Amino acid sequence: MDVNEQSTHQQSKEQRKVLHRLLSYSKPHKKALLGAFVLLIFGTLGEILGPYLIKVFIDDYLVEQSFPFQPIMWLAIFYVGVLVAKTIIQYFQLFVFHKIALTIIQELRVDVFSKVQKLGLKFFDQTPGGSIVSRVTNDTESIKEFFTDVLSVFVQNIVFLIGIFIAMFLLNVKLALFCLAIIPIIFLIMQAYRKYSSIYFHDLREKLSQLNAKLNESLQGMAIIQVFRQEKRLRKEFVEINEGHYAAGVKNIKLNGLLLRPAIDFIYVCSLILVLSFFGIQSFNSPIEIGVLYAFINYLERFFEPVNQMMMRLSMYQQAIVSATRVFELLDDPETAPTAVGNKQLSIEQGKIEFKNVSFSYDGKRDVLKNISFVANPGETIALVGHTGSGKSSIINLFMRFYTINRGEILIDDQSLKEFQDEELRKKIGLVLQDPFLFAGSVKKNIQLYNPDISDNEIKEAAQFVQADKFIETLPNQYDYELSERGTTFSSGQRQLVAFARTIATNPKILVLDEATANIDSETEGYIQEALAKMRKGRTTIAIAHRLSTIQDADQILVLHQGEITERGTHQELLEKQGLYYKMYVLQNQATDKIEDIVS
């Protein structure tokens, strides 16, 4: 077996696995599927009876100067009854199939969305947001078409084809055997189409995912794009991806144009010539029944119509298999968010934090943290300072258990971080980011975050605590004021105040501030600093700060450089050392003095 054959064999094997996994979603609906299948058999029987009844009329009753009224009337009534019954049965059969399909897709989409919620931040760091959206929406939509348009049509048409061949054998065994020889040819065409279309559809889906990713990136960064006049560059990149999507689509259209209806229609014409030639040759030796000829040609036409339908659905099938592969890759992704090891129900009571020789690497090659060790006693404030890329945010990410520690250990109240349950960590550790995220909804819901344990009074108390109530009470409807997506109608300072109120409302034991005052104006910063002073009382605090003036009262300041702690001490102790912290402090003060001189 050469390389190409091995690749094709492996591809077919993987597709069968994906198909089997897709079909496994139908197992809970066995009874409904069985009912639909029974209806399908009766509907097929009605479809096959029609031409046979006409054959009976032509051969038995269509006689010159003879019109037996009563038998013909009963035959006509039976024929109409069959048509009506077939229509009703097909309606219910399709309804049941589609209902099952929609239920399955509903379950699959919930599974995919739930999986996305459980994935670790490493996955989101490496995967564009638009690509994830494409898998949850576009790919699951293709899978829906597999159940609604492909599976039901294939099952229906296979049963129908079996019924047609039974009818053909009842009419003429020899001619039916000739027609049976068509099936291997059709099967070969299907195999060829499946082999090549899977390649094109995979490329098509990948390009669509890239289009969504580029569109998502453009929408998220529209302000930067317009400010820095990046429209032409983004348009050029979008056009290149779009052209790739177009090229993949054209290849698929060419394949469809060759192997779908045109090829089947050619085989149909050849089969029709074969049937007519058979009856023509037979007529030289003995008379032929016109009804049998009509029925056979009718069955032949009805045979190729479902074949055409199945061939046309092959493109949907390939799209669904490719989409399902992408969805299952997401469902099987091992990069889930770190969770507790064991079932211990530990509780954070004091808030003591200890890092013991912690080292960490995002890519497994280069350490961004090297032997980090420090202790934050209950109620103390630890400040992290350093240049960009020094490892400050990585310490926060590890402490919040967004990533798994490579080496070393993190302790809370002398217990390993790994052993705390997620609920306890999220309840007792409050996080405020530099760029707070607000959801579409009311101000009240953004502070409460739909936590029923937080009352309206506690929401207002939290807002008053951080002095966010001053601007909230000026809004229309106040706490019921509806925010747009990401809270774009609020200023940076207002969004940050709401984020502070959200954190205070949960009354955390440990406070984590990731440059929480970086995007706040001087007036709002005064409110924040006052609120922070109150928030830190009785709470252990880890704060990342660029403005050194905001952490001068910290119990301990850790200066990081290239992933290592190079200096530690209080503000005054570090200034006396005249090391890296001293240089940073002098540079910031000089910059502030220059700004004040310019303003004055």
Side-chain angles (χ1 to χ4, degrees), residues 555-581:
D555 296 286
Q556 187 176 187
I557 299 172
L558 306 179
V559 183
L560 288 109
H561 181 66
Q562 295 182 354
E564 297 181 280
I565 298 176
T566 56
E567 298 175 19
R568 67 178 76 206
T570 62
H571 171 70
Q572 198 59 42
E573 288 171 350
L574 291 173
L575 288 181
E576 290 174 0
K577 290 182 180 179
Q578 294 193 359
L580 181 59
Y581 182 84

Side-chain angles (χ1 to χ4, degrees), residues 27 112 175 203 227 259 322 333 346 385 389 459 471 485 531 535:
K27 285 182 180 178
V112 175
L175 198 54
D203 191 26
V227 167
L259 294 181
V322 171
D333 195 289
L346 301 176
V385 300
I459 291 170
F471 83 88
E485 186 180 2
M535 288 169 66

Side-chain angles (χ1 to χ4, degrees), residues 6 117-118 125 146 176-177 184 189 205-206 234 270 303 309 311 345 382 395 428 558 567:
Q6 286 180 348
Q117 300 295 308
K118 295 175 183 177
D125 291 341
F146 167 79
L177 286 171
I189 293 174
R205 280 286 155 188
E206 189 61 36
L234 267 297
C270 292
F303 169 79
Q309 288 184 22
M311 289 297 293
Q345 298 298 320
I382 302 294
I395 290 176
K428 296 292 181 66
L558 306 179
E567 298 175 19

Side-chain angles (χ1 to χ4, degrees), residues 92-273:
F92 283 105
Q93 173 251 317
L94 285 172
F95 175 78
V96 173
F97 262 122
H98 280 68
K99 185 178 179 181
I100 293 170
L102 290 173
T103 304
I104 289 170
I105 293 306
Q106 184 184 30
E107 294 168 355
L108 182 60
R109 276 189 174 144
V110 170
D111 288 347
V112 175
F113 188 79
S114 300
K115 175 66 177 186
V116 170
Q117 300 295 308
K118 295 175 183 177
L119 288 169
L121 288 187
K122 184 177 180 180
F123 176 86
F124 298 102
D125 291 341
Q126 298 172 346
T127 310
S131 176
I132 301 172
V133 171
S134 181
R135 296 191 192 195
V136 178
T137 55
N138 296 336
D139 288 332
T140 53
E141 190 67 22
S142 290
I143 296 172
K144 185 189 81 172
E145 291 174 357
F146 167 79
F147 284 104
T148 56
D149 294 331
V150 179
L151 187 61
S152 60
V153 169
F154 264 74
V155 172
Q156 181 179 357
N157 286 329
I158 287 170
V159 173
F160 186 51
L161 289 173
I162 292 170
I164 285 175
F165 267 108
I166 291 172
M168 282 181 170
F169 273 100
L170 290 173
L171 289 172
N172 191 303
V173 175
K174 187 182 292 186
L175 198 54
L177 286 171
F178 280 128
C179 293
L180 201 62
I182 299 169
I183 292 180
I185 300 172
I186 294 172
F187 181 75
L188 287 174
I189 293 174
M190 285 184 171
Q191 284 293 97
Y193 179 82
R194 193 167 65 87
K195 175 183 175 181
Y196 293 105
S197 63
S198 63
I199 300 170
Y200 300 150
F201 278 124
H202 191 279
D203 191 26
L204 199 65
R205 280 286 155 188
E206 189 61 36
K207 289 293 188 292
L208 181 61
S209 177
Q210 291 175 15
L211 280 175
N212 282 328
K214 183 58 67 177
L215 179 62
N216 182 67
E217 181 186 44
S218 300
L219 293 175
Q220 294 290 336
M222 188 57 69
I224 300 299
I225 290 170
Q226 292 182 355
V227 167
F228 288 94
R229 302 179 65 187
Q230 295 294 299
E231 294 92 342
K232 287 184 178 179
R233 179 182 66 83
L234 267 297
R235 191 183 302 116
K236 182 181 178 183
E237 291 176 0
F238 188 84
V239 166
E240 287 176 358
I241 298 172
N242 202 27
E243 285 178 351
H245 183 267
Y246 168 79
V250 168
K251 288 179 182 178
N252 186 56
I253 290 170
K254 289 178 179 178
L255 188 66
N256 290 351
L258 177 64
L259 294 181
L260 292 185
R261 184 171 284 273
I264 300 301
D265 284 347
F266 176 75
I267 296 173
Y268 167 67
V269 171
C270 292
S271 303
L272 190 60
I273 293 171

